[in-house]
Amino acid sequence: MFKNMAITDGANSSGGGLFSRELEQTPERSGRRRGLVVGAILLVLLGLWLWMQGSEGGALRALSPVQRQALYQETWRDQRARCLVGEAERRDTPAQCQHRAEFLLRFPQCDVACRAELAPSFSPTPP
């Protein structure tokens, strides 16, 4: 089965072998292959980024309307109690409040009134 195969260094062989210089890739083929590999990696990274961006929205859409409404109401209750109160009563950091407000904006129930009420969560607070 392997009787015609020879492993040579290419110096004394006219037919070439596994380590023959005749099997070396030309720079053009090597560059094309490198470009394809880099392109494939970039496509995979773009796909992962898009998947991560849509994961919360996809999870919300996967909930039943009843579950989505319950989560929306519970999240609003937390936002109002922890963030949309006076400075002394605030229990969460501005970053936590902003993150929860961004989450609430992803719900289809969050209309113009909802966005207006969430606006203070995006304002910088004085030091």
Side-chain angles (χ1 to χ4, degrees):
M1 182 163 136
F2 297 108
K3 62 184 175 182
N4 290 332
M5 272 189 160
I7 298 177
T8 66
D9 63 354
N12 297 326
S13 172
S14 61
L18 185 60
F19 297 109
S20 171
R21 292 177 192 213
E22 294 172 9
L23 298 177
E24 286 183 9
Q25 293 183 358
T26 62
E28 180 183 305
R29 288 184 68 202
S30 178
R32 188 177 304 149
R33 179 174 286 163
R34 186 176 296 131
L36 287 173
V37 169
V38 169
I41 290 171
L42 289 175
L43 282 174
V44 167
L45 290 174
L46 176 65
L48 284 172
W49 181 79
L50 288 172
W51 178 73
M52 290 173 61
Q53 292 298 314
S55 63
E56 263 186 7
L60 286 177
R61 286 187 296 277
L63 292 173
S64 73
V66 173
Q67 292 171 322
R68 189 172 38 247
Q69 183 64 27
L71 179 60
Y72 178 73
Q73 289 174 346
E74 181 181 340
T75 306
W76 251 120
R77 198 170 26 253
D78 286 346
Q79 185 73 359
R80 285 183 177 124
R82 297 172 171 271
C83 300
L84 299 175
V85 293
E87 190 75 27
E89 297 90 24
R90 182 176 292 157
R91 294 188 289 179
D92 286 351
T93 66
Q96 290 170 321
C97 292
Q98 182 173 343
H99 181 71
R100 191 179 301 109
E102 289 169 354
F103 180 65
L104 283 165
L105 291 175
R106 289 190 171 99
F107 283 85
Q109 294 95 324
C110 192
D111 57 7
V112 174
C114 163
R115 293 174 188 278
E117 191 174 350
L118 286 174
S121 298
F122 296 102
S123 302
T125 58

